[in-house]
Amino acid sequence: MSGPSDSHDHDHHHGHEHGHDHHHDHLHPYDPEHHHPHRDDLDDTMTYYKVMESAVRELLIEKGLITAEQVRHQIERMDARTPANGARIVARAWTDPAFKKRLIESPKQAIAEIGHDIGPMHLIVLENTPKVHNVVVCTLCSCYPRWILGLPPDWYKSRAYRSRVVREPRTVLREFGTEIAGDREVRVHDSTADMRYFVLPMRPEGTEGMSEDALAALVGRDAMIGVVEAGAGGMDRAAAE
Amino acid sequence: MARFSVGDRVRVRAVFPPTPPTHVRTPYYIRGHAGVIERICGAFGNPEELAFGRRYGPKSTLYRVRFRQADIWPDYEGAADDHIEIEIYEFWLEPNERENAA
């Protein structure tokens, strides 16, 4: 969405553009030929939809239908949702078979038990088993169980992931470091409409006797999308990097 | 009332609406393919109408349909038992007469 809207570029806050107190320097080694290590700001283009969002939001506030504080609060709530919520759900399911059964049969109620409201989301929980490995994609856009996991990673929204994981899922999984045995079904779920999907990964071997908290630490976002198994690429590894 | 039941063999209509202005939630790659009803998700507003602000039309039953990957991609390199499951609205589905007669 660039083009005509580019002309809006300089209407906006560029106060930081020439400052060097930011993280730019970490992106490129310092190069004396180019005194200005640079990565484009994400907010440097007012696209059609950004303009529309601002206009509608400002109108709603001006008419007294919502307040700026409510908008800010919703953004804060969205940002507070993280994969850690999902990891807790998975760890509970691993340690409590009755909870797991409820989670699969009626996810909204089961998740409410541990204090999360999944809002209007229609959730389907996909259980990985020794016979089936599940992986989730939205080929049409970027549908994702945001009410539990927060915002999706950028790669989930990329055309490469969206177009390839339906067509060559095993190759894509291999690129994530995940090798699925030939006699285990790979089941791709294309989230095209009103349902949202959440993968319940298999509990890793050798985790008997671990606490729910310790188990939750083995479950990363990518395991709940289904591109890795739990314990691989989990939050433990992310934390170590 | 749902027209199809779990386990029914269905085929996605091979319709390719001109674009734009249309809004279609049935991915191109699945149109014309045969699958099996995996579950009934319920009745939902028709996104092809909602996209244009028409909010009061009849709801459509939404299904999850299960397809064999090998049927969709002739050069599929995964296992024979690999599948893909997709949500499809009822008006995009027709009975798979050929398969059901067999």
Side-chain angles (χ1 to χ4, degrees), chain B residues 50-89:
Chain B
L50 293 174
F52 297 96
R54 298 190 286 264
R55 293 188 289 155
Y56 305 105
K59 292 193 168 185
S60 174
T61 301
L62 180 67
Y63 300 88
R64 296 192 77 234
V65 187
R66 183 171 161 80
F67 300 86
R68 286 181 68 236
Q69 287 278 35
D71 290 342
I72 302 174
W73 316 108
D75 56 348
Y76 186 69
E77 288 176 349
D81 201 34
D82 285 357
H83 286 82
I84 184 160
E85 297 184 356
I86 310 182
E87 292 157 58
I88 302 181
Y89 296 92

Side-chain angles (χ1 to χ4, degrees), chain A residues 14-66:
Chain A
H14 275 188
H16 298 301
E17 191 170 78
H18 297 280
H20 287 267
D21 54 344
H22 290 277
H23 300 291
H24 305 163
D25 294 345
H26 300 295
L27 298 172
H28 301 287
Y30 180 70
D31 175 359
E33 296 294 300
H34 297 85
H35 276 268
H36 206 137
H38 180 68
R39 187 175 75 173
D40 288 339
D41 287 340
L42 294 174
D43 60 352
D44 65 356
T45 303
M46 262 326 246
T47 64
Y48 174 83
Y49 289 104
K50 285 180 181 174
V51 171
M52 184 156 74
E53 183 277 326
S54 296
V56 171
R57 173 168 42 81
E58 286 169 11
L59 257 176
L60 289 170
I61 292 169
E62 215 171 283
K63 302 272 183 197
L65 293 165
I66 60 173

Side-chain angles (χ1 to χ4, degrees), chain B residues 11-48:
Chain B
R11 186 174 291 276
V12 183
R13 291 166 57 218
V15 176
F16 300 88
T19 53
T22 50
H23 175 81
V24 173
R25 290 279 181 87
T26 303
Y28 194 96
Y29 70 85
I30 211 65
R31 297 183 205 163
H33 285 285
V36 174
I37 301 287
E38 188 266 340
R39 77 175 80 182
I40 300 171
C41 302
F44 291 89
N46 176 357
E48 298 179 20

Side-chain angles (χ1 to χ4, degrees), chain A residues 10 13 15 31 41 43 68 85 88 94-95 149 158 165 168-169 172 182-183 185 199 202 215 219 223 232-233 236 238:
Chain A
H10 297 282
H13 303 292
D31 175 359
D41 287 340
D43 60 352
N85 300 339
R88 280 187 59 215
W94 284 347
T95 53
L149 301 182
S158 71
V165 80
E168 44 178 15
V172 172
D183 58 356
E185 178 189 344
V199 175
M202 284 198 295
L215 288 169
V219 185
D236 51 343

